[in-house]
Amino acid sequence: MHLKTVPFCPDLVIFRMEQRNNSASAYMAESFIKILFACVLFLHASTQADQVSFSTTDDWKAWDHPNGAIEIDVTGYIKPLEVRKNIDAIKNARQFGGGIRAVGSNPTNARSVMDGDYSTGWAPDYSMPSDDWWIEINLGRLVTAEQIRLHFAEDAPPMEFFSVLIASGEQFFTNALVPIPGTLVYGTSQTFGFNENQVVTLDAEHVQVSVIRINVSQVTPNALLSEIEIRTVGDNIALGTIERGGSIELITDLQSVLEGGQNMADGNIVTNWSLNTLHQTVTGKDIFNRIIFDLGAHYWIDQLRIIGEPMGAPPSRRSQNGNFFWYQVLASDGSLAPDGSLRWQEVAYRPTAPENTTEKRNFDHTFPLQKIRYLQHYFPSTEGGTIHQDGGTHSPYATFGYVSEYQIYGDGYPGELYLKSPIVDLGGTKGLTSIEWIADMPMGTRIEVRTRTGNDVEQNYTYYDKNGKVVTDSRYKKLIPSFRGAIDTSIAVSQNWSLWSEPYNSSGELFKSPSPRRYAQMDVRLLSESPGLAPKLSKLQINIDDPLAQKTQGEIFPNSVAAGLEETFSYFIEPIFDSRSKGFDQLTLKSSVPMHFLNIKIGDENVSVDVTEDEDGFSIMLPQKVRRSGTIKIDFQATIYQNLTRFEAFLGNSDLGQGVRQFVDEGNAVDDIKSESISVALPVNNYIISNVSISTEVLTPNGDGISDELLIEFDALKLFAPRPIQVQIFNLGGTNVRNLSYDLGTANRYSFTWDGFDEKNRLVPPGTYLMRVKVDGDAQDGIEQHIVAVVY
């Protein structure tokens, strides 16, 4: 077998159609023809392929991944991008659109001050007027500087007379209180004279820097400014939150829809988010608000900085913008509480203090390094349940909860990252046999892969007006032709696709999603339990082959039974073949409950077969390959404890080895059976515990071999996840004398014994006792109790 890459239709393949006449439908038709033609080409190219492979830089770039959190190397591997502490913000300024903002003279050498080469540098053209002896560098975003260093060329004298000016991004305002675009207020400056140091260090603890400017005031012959270094807290994880696929959700007790959250993570101190207090009135109780960050990935975080300087408002009005009375910051790694909500824990708290509102504008918090995906900033916008002041009913602040920038810092590689492949078009119905990958996974890291499959895709249309604004279909049709813009056509999965599979934890596992199918998609998770380690994925491939049967349908009967009782089931399979089908001579039936094989019938004939049973089900080896359509009936016994217990069948071919199997689809296999399901349901009721039995109502622990122990048996039902199962013995005073079980369990049959001894291994006194079984259900708890007498 040779490696061959199958072309694919991406998850979002876009054909843009420019409007040229009055009919948008003509262009939709044109787009559809283009897509159809492309997929016909894919069909032709992929019919002989046996693998679909992703291994190059271009392959990985086609995946949907969290921007700014993934490193795609030119050699073809993909890995999480490390979050760093104590970085030089100059070195990655271009990543954020920064660079040389302006230079008064000698622009040719301006970039030398940020190229990392200490042997090159910039000096002004001293033949120009002194007003032109300056250079400005834009960092591309707001950073919190801890130290600033100027490096002068070592083989020349340092500059002696100069000044350093720092701007956070604040602008000047007109007399009409309108910001003047392109202007900068340099809020911090430091002047140097008679400098003799090759490296000049400025103390800049917690200084907000967006632009730095160097003014040279006197000539120093041959002196060169070789590098500027701005040491910052580290990489600000908040930047790029939206681009990574994360979100910033805003919730308040009074306003159901809030906007502008992205302004807290755009690197611009002028833009901001705050709560408009015009919507608030006297309520008699505090009004609470939440800012919820979904970072788009799991990061190791240990520091927050909340910048609340109202630089977007004119200086005369900044006191009208309040920050906080108090607040609490909660964090979650994405794990869920029993009710399905996120589990939160506090990482930062700011107690009530008068200076919190307008005097202390910036807030810093550090805490132990921990894996975080979500942050919730919780704060009130009233104080003591009232917002009135001086007998009025208005707020003393025009806005409250003012945040211009949220800075989030951490250390190490992200703990969890998610990537999704384009939609892979196999060019026709194919059997997907297994999935493999090549990766570097240090101990403590792992890679999980999930798949889903389907036989069709949907086309989605996005309409734009002439200004590029998205409009609805109906709105687009009402626009006159000259006001219509482009139409984007995208391909996406349809409703008929399978759900995401259970994870593949190791390379080479058999394919877990329904097959054969025409389309497939993969989801990859890069996981690490240590901030210093990260997995690296070099190659991922799906192995494919012609299907064993072109189509299969399976159903089980009966598909509804009583819980906890052994039943006889029949599983029907209807395979359909064509000339490319390879046939099968192996059948496997798997479920979450034990099964005992009884018989198999192919058509009207009972067949003698070899059967291997295990805890997951059984496998059948047929005497010869099946290549003709016809009904197969498999009889077996099983006991059902869980509602909608699934029974999944797979076809196999001994000539192709254990690495090839085909999932039997759910459907109508036999006309006179009305199941069309491979799941078995339990009666609709609230029972969680069933079929409780005790061996005796009188326990006599005297060692004579008769009723020395109490045997307790019961069925736990309908548990979709492990839940606490308690079996306890109480005396009539309500005291717990013995715990027989307090462990997690799933839907199953359980058995426990009590020998009459208490928790301290002492024989209990004769008398009457209460045996209680309690199962914590997903929606409600189940409790069963029985009276037991102890006599000896």
Side-chain angles (χ1 to χ4, degrees):
M1 296 176 66
H2 62 282
L3 179 66
K4 187 176 181 68
T5 301
V6 179
F8 53 82
C9 294
D11 193 17
L12 194 63
V13 178
I14 295 178
F15 296 87
R16 172 153 289 193
M17 302 170 289
E18 301 300 334
Q19 186 66 28
R20 295 178 183 172
N21 56 40
N22 293 345
S23 175
S25 60
Y27 288 94
M28 291 185 195
E30 178 186 351
S31 176
F32 177 77
I33 291 171
K34 289 180 180 179
I35 297 172
L36 183 61
F37 179 70
C39 288
V40 169
L41 291 179
F42 293 161
L43 172 63
H44 175 73
S46 63
T47 51
Q48 300 302 316
D50 51 27
Q51 292 174 338
V52 178
S53 176
F54 295 89
S55 60
T56 69
T57 301
D58 289 340
D59 288 343
W60 297 125
K61 286 182 178 179
W63 284 54
D64 180 14
H65 59 270
N67 292 327
I70 288 288
E71 175 188 354
I72 302 177
D73 189 78
V74 293
T75 61
Y77 72 74
I78 185 167
K79 67 176 292 188
L81 190 64
E82 185 179 16
V83 173
R84 304 161 300 167
K85 286 282 193 182
N86 188 29
I87 66 168
D88 180 2
I90 290 285
K91 289 184 177 179
N92 64 345
R94 292 191 180 91
Q95 174 185 335
F96 298 95
I100 302 299
R101 182 174 185 268
V103 59
S105 62
N106 196 13
T108 304
N109 295 332
R111 289 194 175 185
S112 298
V113 302
M114 53 184 305
D115 63 0
D117 185 351
Y118 289 84
S119 65
T120 62
W122 170 88
D125 183 349
Y126 292 119
S127 66
M128 301 287 289
S130 59
D131 288 346
D132 297 330
W133 298 354
W134 56 270
I135 185 172
E136 285 182 350
I137 298 175
N138 180 11
L139 301 182
R141 79 287 192 195
L142 183 73
V143 304
T144 297
E146 301 299 326
Q147 194 177 70
I148 298 174
R149 293 193 186 105
L150 305 184
H151 296 261
F152 299 105
E154 294 182 356
D155 58 353
M159 290 182 178
E160 296 182 88
F161 300 93
F162 59 90
S163 58
V164 181
L165 295 85
I166 295 171
S168 64
E170 178 185 2
Q171 298 173 318
F172 286 100
F173 287 79
T174 67
N175 291 334
L177 305 182
V178 176
I180 303 174
T183 61
L184 278 178
V185 175
Y186 287 96
T188 302
S189 64
Q190 191 168 346
T191 301
F192 296 84
F194 300 101
N195 172 54
E196 297 180 350
N197 297 317
Q198 300 296 136
V199 179
V200 174
T201 301
L202 289 77
D203 291 328
E205 184 178 2
H206 288 1
V207 173
Q208 305 305 322
V209 184
S210 176
V211 175
I212 184 170
R213 177 183 174 112
I214 311 299
N215 286 340
V216 180
S217 53
Q218 292 190 32
V219 176
T220 304
N222 301 319
L224 286 177
L225 176 62
S226 61
E227 289 294 316
I228 300 176
E229 184 182 1
I230 301 180
R231 308 305 303 186
T232 68
V233 176
D235 291 313
N236 178 10
I237 297 169
L239 295 177
T241 293
I242 307 300
E243 292 76 11
R244 275 196 304 272
S247 62
I248 304 175
E249 185 179 6
L250 306 169
I251 302 173
T252 175
D253 289 346
L254 291 182
Q255 295 163 269
S256 58
V257 179
L258 297 174
E259 298 179 347
Q262 69 278 5
N263 293 339
M264 289 184 277
D266 61 358
N268 186 347
I269 200 171
V270 172
T271 59
N272 65 84
W273 178 83
S274 57
L275 191 67
N276 189 334
T277 59
L278 295 177
H279 294 272
Q280 300 189 1
T281 59
V282 177
T283 63
K285 64 178 182 178
D286 281 327
I287 300 169
F288 289 101
N289 314 280
R290 297 160 187 83
I291 304 169
I292 302 176
F293 283 82
D294 174 1
L295 299 175
H298 292 71
Y299 285 96
W300 297 94
I301 296 172
D302 61 359
Q303 191 170 352
L304 302 175
R305 180 167 172 80
I306 305 164
I307 300 173
E309 297 177 2
M311 297 302 184
S316 61
R317 295 185 177 179
R318 291 177 183 176
S319 62
Q320 299 176 16
N321 298 280
N323 296 103
F324 306 101
F325 297 118
W326 62 267
Y327 61 77
Q328 180 187 39
V329 181
L330 306 172
S332 172
D333 62 1
S335 59
L336 300 178
D339 63 359
S341 62
L342 290 174
R343 292 184 184 272
W344 298 96
Q345 63 177 356
E346 182 181 287
V347 294
Y349 178 73
R350 179 74 185 180
T352 301
E355 65 268 18
N356 290 347
T357 53
T358 56
E359 295 177 29
K360 182 173 178 59
R361 292 294 190 175
N362 303 325
F363 305 87
D364 292 277
H365 300 279
T366 59
F367 44 86
L369 193 70
Q370 55 192 282
K371 186 166 65 174
I372 294 173
R373 168 85 187 241
Y374 304 94
L375 286 169
Q376 179 181 172
H377 186 117
Y378 181 80
F379 68 96
S381 51
T382 66
E383 189 173 28
T386 180
I387 56 174
H388 69 274
Q389 185 183 42
D390 299 329
T393 58
H394 65 280
S395 170
Y397 307 105
T399 66
F400 202 73
Y402 195 100
V403 178
S404 53
E405 281 298 296
Y406 222 102
Q407 296 180 337
I408 303 170
Y409 300 103
D411 194 13
Y413 297 98
E416 296 183 29
L417 285 179
Y418 305 87
L419 306 93
K420 187 170 65 176
S421 78
I423 293 176
V424 178
D425 184 356
L426 303 174
T429 302
K430 290 287 184 179
L432 299 99
T433 60
S434 62
I435 191 163
E436 299 179 74
W437 60 83
I438 299 174
D440 178 16
M441 291 183 290
M443 185 175 295
T445 71
R446 71 184 192 276
I447 291 175
E448 287 184 359
V449 180
R450 290 171 172 80
T451 57
R452 61 179 177 177
T453 54
N455 276 323
D456 50 21
V457 292
E458 291 182 348
Q459 295 193 54
N460 298 324
Y461 300 98
T462 304
Y463 302 89
Y464 301 88
D465 63 18
K466 69 172 186 177
N467 297 317
K469 181 181 178 181
V470 176
V471 296
T472 63
D473 178 12
S474 58
R475 173 63 178 164
Y476 186 89
K477 292 176 181 178
K478 293 177 181 179
L479 294 174
I480 62 175
S482 60
F483 281 73
R484 293 175 182 170
I487 304 173
D488 285 347
T489 304
S490 63
I491 294 177
V493 302
S494 71
Q495 294 181 348
N496 299 323
W497 277 54
S498 67
L499 299 176
W500 288 106
S501 70
E502 291 296 314
Y504 304 80
N505 295 307
S506 59
S507 175
E509 289 190 58
L510 295 178
F511 204 75
K512 297 183 178 182
S513 293
S515 169
R517 292 293 189 271
R518 171 163 181 169
Y519 300 98
Q521 192 172 37
M522 289 171 285
D523 170 272
V524 171
R525 304 183 182 196
L526 306 178
L527 307 170
S528 175
E529 295 302 321
S530 170
L533 300 173
K536 181 170 68 175
L537 180 61
S538 300
K539 183 179 181 180
L540 181 66
Q541 70 183 38
I542 301 175
N543 297 318
I544 61 176
D545 207 336
D546 288 329
L548 305 183
Q550 188 65 18
K551 183 179 179 181
T552 59
Q553 294 193 120
E555 60 184 327
I556 194 170
F557 182 84
N559 66 339
S560 179
V561 298
L565 301 179
E566 187 176 65
E567 295 280 354
T568 297
F569 297 92
S570 294
Y571 201 102
F572 298 91
I573 300 174
E574 177 73 14
I576 299 174
F577 301 91
D578 66 6
S579 59
R580 295 181 300 138
S581 302
K582 296 188 174 184
F584 60 91
D585 57 2
Q586 297 172 337
L587 282 166
T588 302
L589 198 61
K590 291 186 174 295
S591 185
S592 59
V593 297
M595 294 180 282
H596 175 60
F597 172 81
L598 296 176
N599 184 58
I600 182 171
K601 182 183 287 188
I602 300 179
D604 296 326
E605 181 183 355
N606 291 319
V607 180
S608 178
V609 296
D610 293 329
V611 179
T612 302
E613 294 187 354
D614 58 32
E615 61 182 10
D616 296 325
F618 54 82
S619 298
I620 301 171
M621 186 69 192
L622 302 175
Q624 60 185 9
K625 288 186 174 61
V626 177
R627 290 192 175 93
R628 292 184 179 180
S629 300
T631 303
I632 299 173
K633 179 187 177 187
I634 304 171
D635 296 325
F636 64 94
Q637 291 176 326
T639 304
I640 308 300
Y641 302 98
Q642 177 65 274
N643 190 36
L644 299 179
T645 297
R646 286 175 60 85
F647 292 84
E648 297 182 338
F650 300 89
L651 312 180
N653 187 311
S654 58
D655 293 338
L656 303 178
Q658 297 302 311
V660 175
R661 72 175 184 179
Q662 180 172 326
F663 178 76
V664 175
D665 286 319
E666 187 175 42
N668 183 24
V670 182
D671 289 338
D672 57 355
I673 298 296
K674 302 303 180 183
S675 167
E676 297 187 17
S677 172
I678 60 173
S679 298
V680 177
L682 296 180
V684 178
N685 55 47
N686 295 325
Y687 298 156
I688 297 177
I689 302 173
S690 180
N691 301 325
V692 179
S693 68
I694 58 175
S695 59
T696 180
E697 293 184 355
V698 179
L699 178 65
T700 59
N702 53 19
D704 63 358
I706 302 173
S707 300
D708 285 337
E709 291 185 332
L710 176 69
L711 176 63
I712 306 160
E713 294 183 302
F714 60 92
D715 295 334
L717 309 176
K718 305 175 184 177
L719 302 180
F720 293 97
R723 306 290 292 172
I725 294 179
Q726 305 171 40
V727 182
Q728 299 168 294
I729 307 295
F730 296 87
N731 62 27
L732 293 186
T735 301
N736 179 208
V737 299
R738 183 73 179 271
N739 289 317
L740 302 179
S741 172
Y742 205 90
D743 296 327
L744 298 179
T746 57
N748 213 328
R749 181 74 176 170
Y750 288 90
S751 177
F752 299 93
T753 58
W754 181 43
D755 56 6
F757 284 78
D758 63 15
E759 287 293 315
K760 296 182 179 180
N761 203 28
R762 300 173 303 191
L763 196 61
V764 299
T768 302
Y769 292 84
L770 180 70
M771 185 280 298
R772 187 180 78 166
V773 177
K774 182 183 180 208
V775 177
D776 292 356
D778 296 293
Q780 65 181 44
D781 298 338
I783 297 177
E784 290 282 345
Q785 301 181 134
H786 282 265
I787 296 294
V788 177
V790 177
V791 178
Y792 58 87

